[in-house]
Amino acid sequence: MEIVVREVRVHSGKNWKVTERDFEVLKWIGRWNGVTSAQVIREFTERGLHPSSQVVYRRLRGLVALGLLDTAQLAGRRSAAYWLTRGGMELVNVPGNATAPNVKEYHHDLTVVDLAHHIRQVRPDDQLVSEREIRARDTPNQYESNEPTFSVTTGVNERGRRYPDLVAVDDQGRAWAHELERTRKPRPRLIRNMLLYVNADHIRFAVYWAFPDLLTNVQQAAEEANKSSMELGRGKKIAVRVWNSEEEGTT
């Protein structure tokens, strides 16, 4: 029997019950800058926490009615997007600021959620840390934590930081940064970004996932970065993988 953890009265006069499984959904959504309904369904039906997509949709509607989630139909996306409100963040103790998906970044951010799903399938024992979680750990005025952070310094006044799209920590405690490249960047900029990981002692390896039409440019940048890494005696620290756009089918 599922435990009810909170009962909230909404404007219609009805009482909505927030359950343990709702808590799990809210905490997972809070790890990201936004997720689609299809991604929520995939996550929680695969984990067996919800039996069907209909149940997930019903719970999402209830959490929106409670004011714990916000939702919108984003341009170019088949599924509605969801993100935590301030009330939702406070309820499940998610650090950071409550923000809606960035209009310039949401295609990228939603694809990173798919990338995380792919990595978990390939390496199920790795612990995944999202960019939002890394940023929260790096912001002491919002969140105090003893957990390790995985940003890297840009060397700009010793204050600039670069945040990986995703980090996977393996069973030996080694951090693998993952970056998704879905828009073209000048090769010198790519090389500079890669060298930040080359010079970061706390990052074991960086994997760049490139959309097919960007693969050659990213591979050539990685060759230059690895050449510098070898000269520094750090070995090869940059790998390139093609991102199969079919993985986006759920978004």
Side-chain angles (χ1 to χ4, degrees):
M1 180 177 179
E2 191 171 11
I3 297 173
V4 174
V5 294
R6 178 172 290 194
E7 191 166 335
V8 182
R9 194 170 184 83
V10 294
H11 66 275
S12 64
K14 296 181 179 179
N15 287 341
W16 284 89
K17 295 177 174 62
V18 180
T19 67
E20 285 184 313
R21 280 187 282 190
D22 291 332
F23 258 53
E24 289 300 313
V25 171
L26 290 168
K27 285 192 293 185
W28 182 77
I29 293 175
R31 299 183 64 196
W32 313 100
N33 294 318
V35 298
T36 66
S37 56
Q39 288 170 331
V40 180
I41 290 167
R42 178 183 63 194
E43 179 72 15
F44 289 94
T45 56
E46 284 186 3
R47 287 167 53 180
L49 293 181
H50 281 300
S52 67
S53 59
Q54 290 79 8
V55 173
V56 177
Y57 278 124
R58 186 167 64 249
R59 299 313 300 175
L60 289 173
R61 288 196 297 270
L63 295 170
V64 170
L66 288 174
L68 303 175
L69 288 178
D70 208 345
T71 185
Q73 191 73 44
L74 302 179
R77 293 284 163 173
R78 294 189 296 274
S79 301
Y82 293 84
W83 58 95
L84 290 191
T85 63
R86 168 52 59 187
M89 294 178 68
E90 292 174 351
L91 181 65
V92 295
N93 196 30
V94 171
N97 294 319
T99 56
N102 186 317
V103 68
K104 295 181 180 180
E105 298 291 338
Y106 68 79
H107 285 299
H108 174 274
D109 291 343
L110 292 173
T111 306
V112 169
V113 180
D114 290 335
L115 175 59
H117 177 262
H118 173 73
I119 293 170
R120 196 181 68 221
Q121 288 184 313
V122 175
R123 299 182 59 87
D125 294 330
D126 285 2
Q127 176 190 357
L128 297 183
V129 187
S130 70
E131 179 186 355
R132 183 182 177 96
E133 290 169 319
I134 298 168
R135 286 182 179 273
R137 295 177 185 186
D138 268 8
T139 314
N141 64 322
Q142 295 179 16
Y143 176 48
E144 292 186 6
S145 172
N146 294 321
E147 299 170 299
T149 186
F150 302 106
S151 61
V152 294
T153 179
T154 62
V156 179
N157 298 324
E158 298 184 354
R159 294 182 179 180
R161 309 296 296 178
R162 177 169 182 83
Y163 295 88
D165 289 327
L166 192 69
V167 163
V169 182
D170 66 20
D171 57 5
Q172 298 182 49
R174 298 174 301 189
W176 299 64
H178 293 270
E179 293 279 7
L180 179 70
E181 297 296 329
R182 69 178 307 277
T183 57
R184 182 170 297 276
K185 294 185 179 70
R187 195 174 307 156
R189 178 182 169 188
L190 273 173
I191 295 170
R192 286 196 303 271
N193 290 343
M194 291 174 178
L195 289 176
L196 299 180
Y197 294 117
V198 165
N199 293 315
D201 293 332
H202 61 300
I203 300 294
R204 173 65 182 84
F205 215 80
V207 183
Y208 277 71
W209 299 81
F211 274 53
D213 59 330
L214 306 176
L215 185 61
T216 299
N217 188 49
V218 177
Q219 285 176 327
Q220 291 174 347
E223 289 173 4
E224 290 294 321
N226 278 325
K227 180 180 178 181
S228 296
S229 187
M230 295 291 286
E231 291 172 352
L232 292 169
R234 291 179 171 267
K236 291 185 178 180
K237 289 191 65 174
I238 308 295
V240 179
R241 302 285 185 270
V242 64
W243 175 248
N244 182 359
S245 59
E246 292 181 0
E247 291 287 340
E248 281 196 292
T250 59
T251 61

